[in-house]
Amino acid sequence: ADLFISIELGNDDAAALSISFFWIAMAISRFAAGFLYKYEKFIVKMGFNICGLLLILLSFTNDVTIALIIYFLMGVFCGPIWPLLAGMINRKYKKNTGLVTGLILIAGGIGGMVSPYIVGKINDVSNMTTAFLFTSVFALAGMAMFAAVQKKNTDK
């Protein structure tokens, strides 16, 4: 986020704001999602979809203000995904909450470690637009996988 604002958009002063906007929105939306857990499936689907679309929009923006708004909105829609997924999985596998929570933490840790590397490599060989478009594919793939699991569970 900060590299996109500083390098691609040429505004070092607003770079740190992008991260701050993302994380404050993330915190607020995670807290709010705790009250809206009855709509968790809808919130997760919308979160994946909207984050994918926001990443596509971010890829094509040249305006710092719009980029900051997009980062804030990404925090809003990304925020609840992980804790709601963790809650759903823990409720489904009540006798194995330690195992499934550990697996979720491992997956999140690997994603948090690998994705910046991949985005950086794509940026090195192409540009940030391509890197964000690639990342949007992951968000939309996450939604497709979630929808497939939900469909499988309702077909049983």
Side-chain angles (χ1 to χ4, degrees):
D2 63 337
L3 291 177
F4 176 73
I5 299 285
S6 64
I7 293 172
E8 294 290 319
L9 302 183
N11 190 326
D12 292 336
D13 295 337
L17 280 176
S18 63
I19 296 170
S20 298
F21 284 173
F22 177 83
W23 283 106
I24 192 69
M26 180 89 92
I28 293 167
S29 67
R30 283 185 174 185
F31 186 74
F35 293 106
L36 301 171
Y37 71 91
K38 291 180 182 179
Y39 308 102
E40 63 191 4
K41 292 175 186 173
F42 176 77
I43 293 169
V44 169
K45 286 178 187 176
M46 291 306 296
F48 277 128
N49 280 326
I50 293 173
C51 285
L53 295 174
L54 288 169
L55 283 161
I56 292 168
L57 284 174
L58 187 62
S59 300
F60 297 105
T61 189
N62 293 319
D63 184 89
V64 173
T65 303
I66 292 172
L68 291 174
I69 291 168
I70 291 171
Y71 279 118
F72 181 84
L73 291 172
M74 283 194 335
V76 168
F77 291 101
C78 285
I81 294 173
W82 191 90
L84 289 177
L85 284 175
M88 284 186 254
I89 292 170
N90 277 307
R91 282 191 303 281
K92 183 172 175 102
Y93 300 101
K94 292 178 183 173
K95 294 183 180 184
N96 294 309
T97 57
L99 174 66
V100 294
T101 299
L103 291 173
I104 292 169
L105 287 168
I106 288 169
I110 290 170
M113 179 180 63
V114 172
S115 62
Y117 176 77
I118 292 171
V119 167
K121 284 296 183 185
I122 293 170
N123 186 48
D124 289 347
V125 298
S126 183
N127 58 35
M128 194 62 84
T129 298
T130 306
F132 283 147
L133 289 173
F134 184 78
T135 307
S136 73
V137 170
F138 279 109
L140 297 172
M143 201 306 285
M145 286 186 283
F146 179 76
V149 168
Q150 293 303 305
K151 183 172 177 10
K152 182 180 174 188
N153 287 337
T154 57
D155 288 346
K156 288 184 178 182

